[in-house]
Amino acid sequence: MFWFQGNSMQLAKSSFGLFLRNLSASKTTLPVLTLFTKDPCPLCDEAKEVLKPYKNRFILQEVDITLPENSAWYERYKFDIPVFHLNDQFLMKHRVNTSKLEKQLLKFEQQVLQTD
């Protein structure tokens, strides 16, 4: 429970946010979650909503498979989007499997802790 009022509360929020940014910017590296998508893609939009609680645990990279430079991904995934890779490895397709995502994020985080 916060006992701050007015500007003090704002200062506390700012300080906490700065603390979190510094903590995440320290030696910790985040895995890259690649979302293969196109526009429009309602399932992709839904997937991004499901991913919001995890957003501080990975870097989201979106790849539009309809762009000419992504034609190989288009040929591979044109009937399967959304498709997700975690650190360049296939993870899941069609819908977010939160238990699979959580398992792989924990595995990555444990590996990072072991190397520190």
Side-chain angles (χ1 to χ4, degrees):
M1 183 172 212
F2 289 104
W3 293 98
F4 301 103
Q5 291 182 351
N7 291 340
S8 298
M9 181 60 164
Q10 188 61 36
L11 179 61
K13 284 182 181 178
S14 300
S15 298
F16 186 68
L18 183 60
F19 167 75
L20 288 178
R21 279 194 297 281
N22 287 339
L23 182 64
S24 64
S26 64
K27 293 179 6 183
T28 307
T29 56
L30 295 175
V32 175
L33 182 67
T34 304
L35 165 60
F36 294 91
T37 186
K38 67 178 184 172
D39 188 30
C41 177
L43 285 178
C44 300
D45 296 336
E46 181 183 309
K48 287 190 271 188
E49 285 299 314
V50 173
L51 291 171
K52 280 186 177 180
Y54 301 91
K55 69 180 180 180
N56 294 325
R57 296 175 65 192
F58 58 79
I59 297 166
L60 182 63
Q61 173 187 343
E62 294 186 40
V63 175
D64 183 339
I65 64 171
T66 63
L67 296 177
E69 63 267 25
N70 297 327
S71 61
W73 293 119
Y74 178 80
E75 289 305 315
R76 187 169 186 177
Y77 292 139
K78 62 185 166 190
F79 301 118
D80 289 319
I81 61 166
V83 175
F84 297 90
H85 287 192
L86 187 65
N87 284 344
D88 298 321
Q89 298 293 314
F90 174 82
L91 180 64
M92 57 194 162
K93 64 181 178 180
H94 301 152
R95 299 207 183 272
V96 174
N97 179 332
T98 55
S99 60
K100 186 179 240 184
L101 176 64
E102 180 67 32
K103 180 180 176 184
Q104 292 303 311
L105 289 174
L106 283 172
K107 183 177 174 182
F108 178 84
E109 292 161 356
Q110 288 170 350
Q111 289 172 347
V112 169
L113 287 175
Q114 290 173 355
T115 60
D116 281 348

